[in-house]
Amino acid sequence: MKSLIQDEIKSYRDEILDFTKALVAIPTENPPGRAYSQCVELIAQELRELGVSSKVVKITSGEFPRYGILGFYGQAKRTLYFHGHYDVVPAANQQQFRPFVRGDRLFGRGSSDMKSGLAAMIYAIKALKECHIDLNGRIGLTIVPDEETGGVLGSQYLAHKDLLGKNGIGMLTPEPTGGTIWNASRGAISIRLTVKGKPAHVGLHYQGVNAFEKMLSVANILLKLKKKVENRKTRFNIYPDAARRSVLLVGGRCEGGTNFNLVPGECSFTVDRRINPEEELRSERQKFAALFDRLRARGINLKHEILQEGRSARISEREPLAQTLRESVLAITGRAPRFEMCPGLLEIRFYIERGIPALAYGPGLLKVSHGPNEFVRISDVVRCATVYALTATRMLG
């Protein structure tokens, strides 16, 4: 079975590459959510050509409408989900949407995170079909937008509509794990804080209220909290050791003022709290709310806006899906993969919240994803497709 699948998918190498390049060439930048319909049409066309039934779900309308794709291969109810996203972070420059190959590497925005992963999922299904492998169940293909901004108008929408994970026995998502298996991920609370003051000409500064100075007071209190947060460490595997610490990033984005000779009337900055699996989202949210209330009680005109929220997630390495995926990776690559925690949010959380074991394993590298020289090794994409197909046969055999 392994050799049959391997040989079949190796014969698809050029098709996989061409499809990935076509996906990368579509500038599905999020925010704001451009070119989504064009990308969805390409994926839907590819699924039709492969004989995989699917439907497009329109998620919202407006200047940048959102779409999800739901497809199935097989007949029985037991479903192993292949789940991925087609949105990408904004490019460093538009040249990143002109994919090119150098040796075994495909360069371009989304090549690593995660358009090559989408190709791997889809061509894994093609191999199962062409090899006439009988499944005691089916593959569910779920492809969503807006993962890069928390999934509110993607996976979260589908979950609220009861369109995510029905009859699921497991889920795999091809995030850029670099050969490891992510069986856990951090949660997140991302907040924009806005401090209000009163503008005034510099010569009449005493008539104004300096929002920047007030903002510094808020930031200094948060920096004290940051020290306490970073004393907490996760028990999950993650490398290097410094990555075990819980995270509070202050000032990822800062804005304020209008000119050098005017007392700033408003300043804002972001706070990004990344929560280890041992911590609770609700508790951390309450701590922020209490802190902001104390600052307001001191007379600081402070407004906060939650940009994204997500719970941490984890499953045991001993789960049948985890062991099956590990054995499949070993069989294809000759190396037993490590189980690690993803340092960021993962959409495995939407499935785990429904009692469905979920894991990330994909062909890209986290360290180059979102960067100016993003790339993926083509051979890794082919191997990932083979791992997905083999895992499906073992889970649904």
Side-chain angles (χ1 to χ4, degrees), residues 6 30 51 97 122 133 161 187 217 245 247 264 278 284 304 326 338 364 370 374 382 390-391:
Q6 270 186 310
N30 177 31
F97 296 115
I122 290 169
I133 294 173
K161 295 294 184 180
S217 299
R245 298 181 184 276
V247 179
E278 296 85 353
E284 298 305 311
H304 76 276
R326 178 186 179 278
R338 293 191 309 267
H370 300 191
E374 184 174 353
V382 173
L390 186 59
T391 302

Side-chain angles (χ1 to χ4, degrees), residues 199-200 255-267:
E255 298 171 295
T258 57
N259 206 352
F260 66 88
N261 61 357
L262 190 71
V263 174
E266 181 175 300
C267 287

Side-chain angles (χ1 to χ4, degrees), residues 162-311:
D162 199 26
L163 295 172
L164 197 77
K166 278 190 174 182
N167 303 307
I169 64 165
M171 174 273 230
L172 301 175
T173 185
E175 289 288 352
T177 65
T180 63
I181 297 172
W182 288 340
N183 67 316
S185 66
R186 286 191 168 110
I189 310 174
S190 305
I191 302 170
R192 180 187 293 114
L193 292 175
T194 302
V195 179
K196 298 275 190 176
K198 180 182 177 183
H201 188 278
V202 63
L204 302 174
H205 61 90
Y206 47 85
Q207 295 181 355
V209 177
N210 193 317
F212 178 75
E213 292 177 0
K214 298 287 186 182
M215 183 186 75
L216 290 179
S217 299
V218 176
N220 284 330
I221 291 169
L222 285 166
L223 289 174
K224 291 178 182 177
L225 177 61
K226 173 184 170 74
K227 291 181 180 179
K228 294 180 180 179
V229 165
E230 289 181 345
N231 284 330
R232 306 174 198 167
K233 291 186 177 183
T234 184
R235 295 187 299 272
F236 282 81
N237 293 329
I238 187 170
Y239 302 95
D241 187 64
R244 291 181 179 276
R245 298 181 184 276
S246 204
V247 179
L248 177 58
L249 174 65
V250 179
R253 181 170 183 176
C254 305
E255 298 171 295
T258 57
N259 206 352
F260 66 88
N261 61 357
L262 190 71
V263 174
E266 181 175 300
C267 287
S268 68
F269 66 101
T270 57
V271 178
D272 201 353
R273 175 76 171 89
R274 296 301 167 115
I275 302 162
N276 281 336
E278 296 85 353
E279 301 169 304
E280 289 294 331
L281 174 65
R282 182 179 179 182
S283 172
E284 298 305 311
R285 187 197 304 123
Q286 289 173 342
K287 289 176 186 176
F288 273 128
L291 174 60
F292 300 154
D293 285 344
R294 290 197 299 272
L295 290 167
R296 293 183 186 106
R298 294 184 189 181
I300 295 176
N301 187 346
L302 178 68
K303 182 180 77 172
H304 76 276
E305 174 191 1
I306 295 178
L307 302 176
Q308 71 168 352
E309 280 191 342
R311 289 184 175 86

Side-chain angles (χ1 to χ4, degrees), residues 314-384:
R314 72 272 199 182
I315 68 166
S316 169
E317 298 174 14
R318 295 185 292 275
E319 278 279 352
L321 177 64
Q323 287 302 307
T324 301
L325 177 59
R326 178 186 179 278
E327 290 163 7
S328 297
V329 174
L330 175 60
I332 299 305
T333 69
R335 298 184 301 275
R338 293 191 309 267
F339 287 96
E340 293 185 9
M341 181 182 80
C342 172
L345 272 176
L346 279 182
E347 299 217 318
I348 63 173
R349 68 189 187 277
F350 294 109
Y351 290 80
I352 292 173
E353 287 172 0
R354 285 156 183 74
I356 301 168
L359 299 161
Y361 175 83
L365 297 169
L366 184 62
K367 65 182 180 181
V368 302
S369 299
H370 300 191
N373 296 304
E374 184 174 353
F375 72 88
V376 69
R377 292 184 178 90
I378 302 162
S379 55
D380 287 345
V381 186
V382 173
R383 276 191 287 268
C384 181

